Amino acid sequence: MRILLHALFLLCLLSSCKTPEARRPVNIKTGSFISESINRNRELASREEARIQKIIKSDSVHDYITSEGGFWYYYTKKDTVPGITPKFGDIVNFNYDVKDLNGNTIYTQQELDTINYRIDKEELFLGLREGLKLMKAGETITFFFPSYQAYGYYGDDHKIGTNIPLMTKVTLNTITKESTTEN
C-alpha cells in the first residue's frame, strides 16, 4: 500500500511539472495613444509658433532672432563689445517679468525679485535656461517662448496655466564665473 501511495505521488509530481508558458496579453495595444499625443503636441506647437510669428510680423520696431532652441527674441539693450556669456556652473544675477502673448502681465519683476541662478545646476524653465546662455552682463532681451519651452502641460501651479506661451523681458545684471581652481 505504501509503495502504491509513493508511486501515485511520484506520478502526480511528474505530471504537474511542465515547462511554464509565457502569458499572452489580453489586449494588444498598437501605440495609437502615443501617435495621437504626438500629433496633438505637433499641432499645438504649430499653432503657438504661428501666433508668435504673427506678433513678429506685426512688429516693425524690433529685429527678432530665432534661437537654435526654438524660441524667438530681440534685444532692448545690447552690448556690442565682445564679452563673456554664462557657461555651465556660472552664477548669473538677473531680473525678469512674465507676460502672456497678449501682453498681460502674469508676474512682475517686483514679484519675482532678483534671481541668482547657477547655470544648468538649478531648476528654471527650459527656455529661460537657454536664453540666459545667450546674454552678456548688462543686456536686456525680450524672449518669446512656446509653451514647450516654458511651463508646458503642467503650468507653474500658481498663475501660469496649461500650454501657455510666454513673453519674458530679462535683464542680466552680472555673471560670476565658476571657480576653475581645484582643491
Side-chain angles (χ1 to χ4, degrees):
M1 178 80 170
R2 213 172 178 171
I3 294 177
L4 186 58
L5 284 175
H6 285 291
L8 187 57
F9 177 72
L10 187 59
L11 183 62
C12 288
L13 185 64
L14 291 176
S15 65
S16 66
C17 293
K18 65 177 189 172
T19 307
E21 291 183 26
R23 292 181 12 187
R24 304 275 181 235
V26 176
N27 295 344
I28 298 175
K29 295 186 179 183
T30 62
S32 63
F33 174 78
I34 292 173
S35 297
E36 290 170 10
S37 178
I38 290 169
N39 289 335
R40 277 191 308 271
N41 287 332
R42 282 184 182 153
E43 289 173 18
L44 175 66
S46 178
R47 283 192 312 267
E48 290 176 358
E49 290 173 13
R51 192 168 165 211
I52 292 170
Q53 287 299 326
K54 185 177 178 182
I55 293 169
I56 291 171
K57 285 179 183 169
S58 68
D59 183 358
S60 60
V61 176
H62 300 103
D63 293 322
Y64 287 82
I65 301 167
T66 303
S67 75
E68 291 179 19
F71 56 87
W72 297 263
Y73 61 99
Y74 65 83
Y75 286 88
T76 303
K77 183 179 176 189
K78 181 176 173 100
D79 184 355
T80 56
V81 178
I84 60 169
T85 56
K87 305 286 185 241
F88 180 85
D90 293 345
I91 299 170
V92 293
N93 176 280
F94 68 98
N95 297 86
Y96 73 114
D97 64 13
V98 179
K99 297 179 180 178
D100 64 19
L101 294 185
N102 294 324
N104 300 316
T105 300
I106 300 172
Y107 291 110
T108 65
Q109 281 190 358
Q110 290 75 26
E111 285 178 277
L112 297 171
D113 205 10
T114 300
I115 308 287
N116 286 313
Y117 168 70
R118 189 175 298 271
I119 297 289
D120 292 334
K121 289 188 171 185
E122 297 175 356
E123 287 295 318
L124 196 63
F125 70 86
L126 177 63
L128 190 52
R129 281 195 328 246
E130 295 305 312
L132 286 167
K133 294 177 197 174
L134 301 172
M135 300 179 74
K136 295 182 240 172
E139 292 184 327
T140 300
I141 297 180
T142 299
F143 293 99
F144 290 79
F145 300 114
S147 64
Y148 65 87
Q149 288 283 333
Y151 288 93
Y153 178 76
Y154 297 103
D156 77 341
D157 294 329
H158 300 287
K159 294 183 177 183
I160 300 172
T162 299
N163 297 326
I164 304 294
L166 300 175
M167 178 173 44
T168 64
K169 184 176 181 180
V170 180
T171 301
L172 182 59
N173 303 317
T174 61
I175 301 171
T176 305
K177 299 304 278 178
E178 182 177 46
S179 175
T180 55
T181 57
E182 294 181 13
N183 294 332

